[in-house]
Structure formats: C-alpha cells, structure tokens
Amino acid sequence: MIEAWTADEIRAAEKPLLDAGTPLMDRAARALARTALADVARRRSAGSSPRLRLAGALGSDGVPGPGRVRPPRRHGVSRNAAHGARAVLLVGAGNNGGDALFAGAHLARSGMRVTAFLVASAVHAEGLAALEAAGGEVIARSELRVPVVVEQVAAADVVLDGLVGVGSRGALRPPSGGIVRALVESRAAAEATGAPWPWVIAVDVPSGIGVDDGSVPGPVLPADRTLTFGAHKPGLLLPPAAHVAGVVEVADVGLGAAQGPQVPGTLRMEEADAAAVLRVPGVRDHKYTRGVVGVVAGTEKYPGAGVLVAAGAVRSGAGMVRALGPTTVTDRILTRHPEVVTAGGRVQSWVLGPGIPSDGSDAGQDRRVYGALAAVTGVLDAEVTGGVVPAVIDAGAMAMLEHRLPEIAVLTPHAGELAELMRGLGHEVDRADIEAEPVRWARAAQRATGATVLLKGAVTVIVGSGVTFAQAEAPAWLATAGAGDVLAGLLGTLLAARADDVLADPSLTSRVAAAAVVLHGRAGALASGGGPVSATDVADALPRVIADVLAR
Ligand SMILES: NC(=O)C1=CN([C@@H]2O[C@H](COP(=O)(O)OP(=O)(O)OC[C@H]3O[C@@H](n4cnc5c(N)ncnc54)[C@H](OP(=O)(O)O)[C@@H]3O)[C@@H](O)[C@H]2O)[C@@H](O)CC1
Ligand SMILES: Nc1ncnc2c1ncn2[C@@H]1O[C@H](COP(=O)(O)OP(=O)(O)O)[C@@H](O)[C@H]1O
Ligand SMILES: [K+]
C-alpha cells in the first residue's frame, strides 16, 4: 500500500532529523542529480523525439504515465554520458529551490551546462554558492525575462522544477505563474510541431499543485518524472494533479524511521493489497458461502448493460449470479452466461442500475431497484433480499436514492453522473466542475449520501469515511462503453464474497472497492496490450488477472 504524507506530516517527520543535523537536503539533491543524469543519458542513447519522451513516461508494460508510481531504482550511469548536456533550473525562494541549486551543482560538476533562473530575490544561499562554485550560470530575479527562460528551456535537455515544494500555497504567484504559463504554451507548440522539448523533473512535487488535495489551482509545468522526497504526497496520487506528475519515484532521504501519518488519509492500493482483499475458496466452500450477486441491470433499451454486469460478476468468481429483469434482458444474459440464475432469492450483494435510464421508462426494473435499495438502507427488509447486504449503486439507480445510505453501499458515478447526483442534492455543478476538483466532489458526495463513493476516471478515486484511495492502473483504452458495467459486476462479486466482513466492519467497503478498481484496471491493461479494448475483453481478462495477482 502506498501511503501519502501531507505537507504537515512531512514537516513533522523531518523536524527531529533536521534538529539532529541529518543532511536531508544533501541527500535529496544527490538523488535528484543522479536521476537527472540517468534520464539525460537514457534519452541521449535513445534519441529525444517527443515520441520517445512519451515512451519514456509509459513504462515497459504500457501503463500510462500520469499518476503512475514506480519503486526507487538504482542509476548506474556513467557521468560522461551526460557531458555537455544542458540543464535549466527553475529556482524558488524556499528549500525546494535549494534542492534544485545543490542538484545543479552536482550536474555542473558532472560536465553539464547548468543555468539557474531565480524567481525570488533571495534564494537558498548555500545552494546558490554551491552552484556558482561549480561553474553554473545564474540569472537573478532582476534580470529575469520570460522569453529568455522559454528559449533556454526549449534548448535544454533537462529542466528541474524547483519553484515550490511542500511549502506551496495556492496558484503560483508572479513571476513563477507567468513563466510556467509561457512554458506550458511553448510545450504545447512543440508537441504540435514535433519540435524537441526537454525532459522535466519536478523536484518533490510539480510546482503549483495542491500538495495535500491534488488540486491544480493555476498553471503547472507537467513533469515527465517527479522525484519526491521521503514519501508520496497526496497530490501526487490524486487527480487532477496526478496527471501532471509523470512517473513518480520516491527518493529515500531517511525519513523511514520517522513517524508517518497515524491514519493515512490518501492511499494507493497495490496488487498485493488487492490480493489480500480477495476471498479464495477453500474445501468447505460451496456456491452460497462464496457469495451470490443479485443484479438489477439492463432494460429493453439497454440490454447489453445487464450482460456486461453479469460478465463482470461471473468472470470474477461469484458463487452465483442472480439477474432480475425483463425477459429481453435475462434471455440475452442467459445466452452469453448460461450459469446465471434468473429466479429471485437471497443474495449477499446487489448491483443496481447499469442500463436503467432515470426516465422511469422501465417500471419493473425501477420497482426492483427501489426494493433492493430499501433493503440496503435497512428501511424495509425486502422479501427479495432477506436482509441488509452491501450494494453497488450505478447509473440510473443513483437517481432513485430516497434515504441516507450506509457505508456498505458503493456509488459508482463517472464525472457526469456525479454532477447530476450533486445537482440533485442542491449543488450548482456540471461535469467540468467535477473534473476540475474530483476529490473534493467525491468527498462531498460521500458526506452527503453516507455511501462509499467510487468516482471513475483515468485516476479513479474511492472515498470512504476518512480515507481516499486513488488508483491509476487503467490504460486510457478502458474509456469505452460498458467498461463501467463490468466494474460494477466485479465489485458486486468482491462484496458478496466478503459480505459478512463488510457488514461487521463497513470501513472495509472502500478497500474492497479499491481492489475491484485495481483488478479492473489490470484487466484493461492486459486485454488492451497497448491497443483497443472492448468491455467484453476486460471481463474475459479478469480470471487471468485474478490468478496473477493471487500468485504474486
Ligand atoms: N521533506 C524532506 O524530506 C525534504 C524536503 N526538502 C525540500 O524542502 C521543500 C520544502 O521547503 P520549504 O519549506 O522551504 O518550502 P518550499 O516548498 O520551498 O516553498 C516555500 C517558498 O515558496 C513560496 N511560495 C509558496 N507558495 C507559492 C506560490 N503559490 N507561488 C509562488 N511562491 C510560493 C513561499 O513564499 P511565501 O508564501 O512564504 O511568501 C516560500 O518562499 C520540500 O518540498 C523539498 O523540496 C529537502 O530539501 C530535504 C528533504
Ligand atoms: N482516460 C482514462 N484512462 C483510464 N481509464 C479510464 C479513462 N476514462 C475512463 N476510464 C475508465 O473507464 C471506465 C468507464 O466507465 P463508465 O464511464 O462507467 O462507462 P460505462 O457506463 O459505459 O460502462 C471506468 O472504469 C473508468 O475509470
Ligand atoms: K517543485
């Protein structure tokens, strides 16, 4: 599990070390310089076309760069490989700028041509002296001209963004904001024309992101890599800031012995954690102990959603799937998945709503959803359920909520659906507002409804009470109709398998939901292999992915 530390938690952890004279900045700067040297050497040997730059950010398995997290690596790179390369340092007033200056001094001593642009009249004095002593060029704030910065950056091999780190407050102020805005435009122009553009390394965090909340309140220079010190910061995991962090790597500066967050608020689940959530059947199990998933999904208008939910549930190992609905839907489900049962009976989880429009056009499906929701919320012990069970509430079912939900209910909106849900709760928001601040709105929805909220996107966020998971394993190819239905079915299976545990400890719900997102994203990546993927392909890849995750 990756646990992010907030700016305050980082400061609390580093304080005793700094008081004891631990050379944290020296360690950070050395790690930064090693990374920059290795990246420049690698790019020089591979060529530096924009395409290769992108390929560098992708990683060998083709999983996309944004928000991706990599374990630390050793860089066994010869210094000569970067000899004569050009590095530009963007240097702010604080210790983040200090890191960049000291790293720049190492780079200059390794034979790079280093230019530092200072955005403040006073910067880290020792760092500045070190860079000057190593032969780096320094452009003072008083001499700063935006077009010159842009020109130098465009001609550089590598840029270290050290404008601001965990001391950041709000959008970048002038002159940093103006410089970064100009650089973002220059980068876009280079991308459009295929002109070269340097490799950008964010020092600790991309300057200008909301370190603790993942917001992007103003201009930010997108990084190819973020080398973050000591531990992840929430903003490196959470969207939209995660999208500008590139490949995230943690440099161990020795905070390990320090006290981390007591209760980590922002997490990223890894495969081993997902495996721990799965319930593997044993000799005493039978289909009912493994969990029955009840599905109310699909209508005459959208029958495919029922088929895809069933596919997600069946292929992820449900003991049994019961699908309820009009025969146009259930017949299609049976054709594809003859193992599905279409008679009513007890279930250990519900999947409600995919393919059911909120216009009331299928009274039968609406009635079934209302009945199941009444059971989930404990309002009435519906005869179809036999009691309160966890539920996945998706698409049309989200418009049918009449009561506060328990944490064992998982809402699974995409940004447009969350906007609709929040409008129904009296907030004037549209899809763009949600996309700009997904975490804020997912948390607002969690507070307002009581449910666990799973907001789908390139980085999917799962919000339970007091905890947020941010998962980024899915390739963008997964953004295809029906992929969300497969996720709903898969999550239904995981919840059914752990229903007793989830009922005993509802806070487990967000963990189960995060595990479903990990498996779904991995299945998307496996089925895609770098190319297009259909929702059916994703469901078909689930058994392999689950076997792989369990085998690790
Ligand atoms: N933790 C670790 O292990 C290690 C941590 N280390 C490093 O220390 C860094 C933290 O350093 P830090 O505390 O000096 O703060 P930092 O991020 O440089 O920012 C403060 C400056 O930025 C300014 N500023 C703020 N907001 C702004 C804005 N919107 N737009 C423009 N300017 C803005 C602010 O100005 P003010 O608001 O005070 O006027 C102040 O001048 C950390 O990120 C890491 O790199 C390593 O050295 C060692 C290992
Ligand atoms: N850019 C993206 N990169 C990776 N995954 C994405 C991206 N956009 C959407 N997804 C994922 O694709 C799936 C789409 O689900 P959804 O929008 O509910 O589709 P549908 O309702 O048609 O099934 C979700 O799992 C979502 O997280
Ligand atoms: K920075």
Side-chain angles (χ1 to χ4, degrees), residues 414 456-458 460 474-476 478-485 487 520:
H414 53 61
K456 291 176 279 194
T460 292
L478 193 57
T480 179
D485 304 333
L487 173 64
H520 187 245

Short mmCIF file of all heavy atoms in Angstrom, two decimals, residues 414 456-458 460 474-476 478-485 487 520, ligand 2:
data_model
loop_
_atom_site.label_atom_id
_atom_site.label_comp_id
_atom_site.label_asym_id
_atom_site.label_seq_id
_atom_site.Cartn_x
_atom_site.Cartn_y
_atom_site.Cartn_z
N HIS A 414 -19.43 8.21 -12.96
CA HIS A 414 -18.36 8.95 -13.64
C HIS A 414 -18.65 10.43 -13.38
O HIS A 414 -19.65 10.76 -12.71
CB HIS A 414 -18.25 8.58 -15.11
CG HIS A 414 -19.52 8.68 -15.90
ND1 HIS A 414 -20.20 9.88 -16.07
CD2 HIS A 414 -20.26 7.74 -16.56
CE1 HIS A 414 -21.27 9.67 -16.79
NE2 HIS A 414 -21.35 8.37 -17.10
N LYS A 456 -15.23 7.30 -11.13
CA LYS A 456 -14.44 6.71 -12.20
C LYS A 456 -13.73 7.77 -13.03
O LYS A 456 -14.23 8.87 -13.19
CB LYS A 456 -15.34 5.86 -13.11
CG LYS A 456 -15.86 4.62 -12.42
CD LYS A 456 -16.83 3.84 -13.28
CE LYS A 456 -18.22 4.41 -13.23
NZ LYS A 456 -19.24 3.51 -13.78
N GLY A 457 -12.58 7.41 -13.55
CA GLY A 457 -11.82 8.31 -14.42
C GLY A 457 -10.45 7.71 -14.68
O GLY A 457 -10.21 6.55 -14.33
N ALA A 458 -9.57 8.48 -15.30
CA ALA A 458 -8.21 7.99 -15.57
C ALA A 458 -7.54 7.64 -14.24
O ALA A 458 -6.83 6.64 -14.13
CB ALA A 458 -7.41 9.04 -16.32
N THR A 460 -9.09 6.76 -10.76
CA THR A 460 -10.37 6.54 -10.06
C THR A 460 -10.16 6.77 -8.58
O THR A 460 -9.19 6.26 -8.00
CB THR A 460 -10.87 5.11 -10.34
OG1 THR A 460 -11.22 5.02 -11.73
CG2 THR A 460 -12.08 4.76 -9.49
N ALA A 474 -5.36 1.86 -14.93
CA ALA A 474 -6.08 1.61 -16.18
C ALA A 474 -5.48 2.36 -17.37
O ALA A 474 -5.13 3.53 -17.24
CB ALA A 474 -7.54 2.03 -16.02
N PRO A 475 -5.35 1.71 -18.52
CA PRO A 475 -4.96 2.45 -19.72
C PRO A 475 -6.16 3.25 -20.23
O PRO A 475 -7.30 2.87 -19.99
CB PRO A 475 -4.60 1.33 -20.71
CG PRO A 475 -5.43 0.18 -20.29
CD PRO A 475 -5.62 0.29 -18.80
N ALA A 476 -5.87 4.33 -20.95
CA ALA A 476 -6.97 5.19 -21.43
C ALA A 476 -7.89 4.43 -22.38
O ALA A 476 -9.05 4.81 -22.58
CB ALA A 476 -6.40 6.43 -22.10
N LEU A 478 -9.40 1.97 -21.74
CA LEU A 478 -10.52 1.45 -20.93
C LEU A 478 -11.73 2.39 -20.97
O LEU A 478 -12.84 1.98 -20.60
CB LEU A 478 -10.05 1.23 -19.49
CG LEU A 478 -10.96 0.42 -18.57
CD1 LEU A 478 -11.25 -0.97 -19.13
CD2 LEU A 478 -10.34 0.27 -17.18
N ALA A 479 -11.52 3.61 -21.42
CA ALA A 479 -12.63 4.56 -21.51
C ALA A 479 -13.51 4.15 -22.70
O ALA A 479 -13.44 4.73 -23.77
CB ALA A 479 -12.10 5.98 -21.67
N THR A 480 -14.31 3.13 -22.50
CA THR A 480 -15.15 2.61 -23.57
C THR A 480 -16.48 2.16 -22.97
O THR A 480 -16.52 1.71 -21.82
CB THR A 480 -14.43 1.43 -24.29
OG1 THR A 480 -15.28 0.93 -25.31
CG2 THR A 480 -14.08 0.30 -23.34
N ALA A 481 -17.53 2.28 -23.77
CA ALA A 481 -18.88 1.99 -23.26
C ALA A 481 -18.94 0.58 -22.68
O ALA A 481 -18.46 -0.38 -23.30
CB ALA A 481 -19.90 2.14 -24.38
N GLY A 482 -19.51 0.47 -21.51
CA GLY A 482 -19.70 -0.83 -20.89
C GLY A 482 -18.61 -1.24 -19.92
O GLY A 482 -18.80 -2.16 -19.12
N ALA A 483 -17.46 -0.54 -20.00
CA ALA A 483 -16.37 -0.91 -19.08
C ALA A 483 -16.81 -0.70 -17.63
O ALA A 483 -16.44 -1.48 -16.74
CB ALA A 483 -15.12 -0.08 -19.38
N GLY A 484 -17.60 0.34 -17.40
CA GLY A 484 -18.09 0.60 -16.05
C GLY A 484 -19.07 -0.47 -15.58
O GLY A 484 -19.15 -0.78 -14.39
N ASP A 485 -19.81 -1.06 -16.52
CA ASP A 485 -20.74 -2.13 -16.15
C ASP A 485 -19.97 -3.36 -15.67
O ASP A 485 -20.38 -4.04 -14.71
CB ASP A 485 -21.62 -2.50 -17.36
CG ASP A 485 -22.37 -1.30 -17.91
OD1 ASP A 485 -22.63 -0.36 -17.12
OD2 ASP A 485 -22.67 -1.29 -19.12
N LEU A 487 -17.05 -3.29 -14.28
CA LEU A 487 -16.54 -2.95 -12.95
C LEU A 487 -17.63 -3.16 -11.89
O LEU A 487 -17.37 -3.70 -10.81
CB LEU A 487 -16.05 -1.50 -12.93
CG LEU A 487 -15.64 -0.95 -11.57
CD1 LEU A 487 -14.43 -1.71 -11.01
CD2 LEU A 487 -15.33 0.55 -11.64
N HIS A 520 -9.79 -4.37 -12.21
CA HIS A 520 -10.41 -3.86 -13.44
C HIS A 520 -9.37 -3.16 -14.32
O HIS A 520 -9.28 -3.41 -15.53
CB HIS A 520 -11.52 -2.88 -13.02
CG HIS A 520 -12.37 -2.38 -14.13
ND1 HIS A 520 -12.39 -1.05 -14.50
CD2 HIS A 520 -13.26 -2.99 -14.94
CE1 HIS A 520 -13.25 -0.88 -15.48
NE2 HIS A 520 -13.80 -2.04 -15.77
N1 LIG B 2 -8.79 8.31 -19.53
C1 LIG B 2 -8.99 7.17 -18.89
N2 LIG B 2 -7.96 6.36 -18.57
C2 LIG B 2 -8.17 5.20 -17.96
N3 LIG B 2 -9.39 4.74 -17.60
C3 LIG B 2 -10.45 5.49 -17.87
C4 LIG B 2 -10.32 6.75 -18.51
N4 LIG B 2 -11.56 7.28 -18.64
C5 LIG B 2 -12.42 6.39 -18.10
N5 LIG B 2 -11.76 5.31 -17.63
C6 LIG B 2 -12.35 4.13 -17.00
O1 LIG B 2 -13.21 3.51 -17.95
C7 LIG B 2 -14.38 3.03 -17.31
C8 LIG B 2 -15.61 3.70 -17.96
O2 LIG B 2 -16.73 3.52 -17.17
P1 LIG B 2 -18.09 4.27 -17.43
O3 LIG B 2 -17.83 5.69 -17.75
O4 LIG B 2 -18.98 3.98 -16.30
O5 LIG B 2 -18.60 3.56 -18.73
P2 LIG B 2 -19.97 2.79 -18.99
O6 LIG B 2 -21.01 3.49 -18.17
O7 LIG B 2 -20.20 2.94 -20.45
O8 LIG B 2 -19.76 1.39 -18.58
C9 LIG B 2 -14.21 3.35 -15.83
O9 LIG B 2 -13.66 2.24 -15.16
C10 LIG B 2 -13.22 4.49 -15.83
O10 LIG B 2 -12.45 4.56 -14.64
#
